[in-house]
Amino acid sequence: EIVLTQSPATLSLSPGERATLSCRASQSVSRYLAWYQHKPGQAPRLLMYNASDRATGIPARFSGSGSGTDFTLTISSLEPEDFAVYYCQHRSNWPLTFGGGTKVEIK
Amino acid sequence: QVQLVQSGVEVKKPGASVKVSCKASGYSFSSYGISWLRQAPGQGLEWIGWISVYNGDTKYAQKFQGRVSITTETHSNTGYMELRSLTSDDTAVYYCARERVYSIHEFEFWGQGTLVTVSS
């Protein structure tokens, strides 16, 4: 099973600041990595797939990069609605697994 | 528009089974697979298993193997996840999710979630 490790666990930032979230895989997942945003009481929302492709309707302030074992999700300038928990997920093989999440909180 | 509507809150006793439904609309049901996932209180997202609606193939996380069954009913565009031998560790919000493209396992559309509480 591929283990995804996200860091940091919590990111305390102010609106307008840049957020950089990391996801590291225990073995190569090529570019088969997705990112999700999850807010309390809501279903998760797909942000990125194939490491760097934005899902439908996702604002351009969200970008993804990486391949192999190291991936980054960047939010260029945080909006109030961006404060949430973010998860990475691979689809390289079975089983599908998620990282433990990064909480982006208001400083 | 694509919608996945799940069944309501469930309260079960340890040792019981639960069956959660997921009714799909707004797309060709047989053209996409559906996964089931869960989030326990204070925990992250966990993938349970997947079914190809097209041919019925299933994949399960090893942790749930033998205790879970994922099925579909194409005439009603509904998916089901049954989990047996429940313990308190199975208390969680359970989600169904549709993949973005057939057999490409990223989850673009999600149900609203079903809270399953296991308590004596």
Side-chain angles (χ1 to χ4, degrees), chain B residues 50-52 60 62 76 79 82 97 104 114-116:
Chain B
W50 168 84
I51 186 166
S52 165
Y60 298 120
Q62 187 168 10
S76 63
E82 182 180 32
I104 303 294
T114 296
L115 175 62
V116 175

Side-chain angles (χ1 to χ4, degrees), chain A residues 24-60:
Chain A
R24 177 163 290 177
S26 60
Q27 63 189 80
S28 176
V29 298
S30 186
R31 292 180 61 81
Y32 300 143
L33 191 100
W35 290 93
Y36 298 84
Q37 178 190 69
H38 196 193
K39 296 179 181 179
Q42 299 183 19
R45 177 191 184 195
L46 177 65
L47 298 175
M48 314 291 301
Y49 61 92
N50 294 339
S52 61
D53 293 329
R54 269 190 300 278
T56 302
I58 302 304

Side-chain angles (χ1 to χ4, degrees), chain B residues 78-94:
Chain B
T78 303
Y80 299 93
M81 188 280 304
E82 182 180 32
L83 189 61
R84 300 175 289 275
S85 302
L86 293 169
T87 73
S88 57
D89 289 343
D90 294 314
T91 293
V93 176
Y94 288 76

Side-chain angles (χ1 to χ4, degrees), chain A:
Chain A
E1 163 172 327
I2 294 174
V3 176
L4 299 178
T5 302
Q6 291 188 240
S7 62
T10 304
L11 203 48
S12 299
L13 295 168
S14 301
E17 289 194 293
R18 182 184 189 89
T20 303
L21 289 67
S22 173
C23 177
R24 177 163 290 177
S26 60
Q27 63 189 80
S28 176
V29 298
S30 186
R31 292 180 61 81
Y32 300 143
L33 191 100
W35 290 93
Y36 298 84
Q37 178 190 69
H38 196 193
K39 296 179 181 179
Q42 299 183 19
R45 177 191 184 195
L46 177 65
L47 298 175
M48 314 291 301
Y49 61 92
N50 294 339
S52 61
D53 293 329
R54 269 190 300 278
T56 302
I58 302 304
R61 64 180 181 274
F62 291 92
S63 63
S65 64
S67 66
T69 60
D70 289 298
F71 299 87
T72 300
L73 174 71
T74 301
I75 311 171
S76 60
S77 177
L78 283 164
E79 297 288 338
E81 62 267 28
D82 299 335
F83 292 93
V85 179
Y86 292 82
Y87 294 97
C88 56
Q89 173 240 325
H90 85 87
R91 61 171 181 88
S92 177
N93 55 23
W94 302 110
L96 311 178
T97 58
F98 287 82
T102 291
K103 181 179 182 180
V104 178
E105 65 175 23
I106 300 176
K107 187 173 181 180

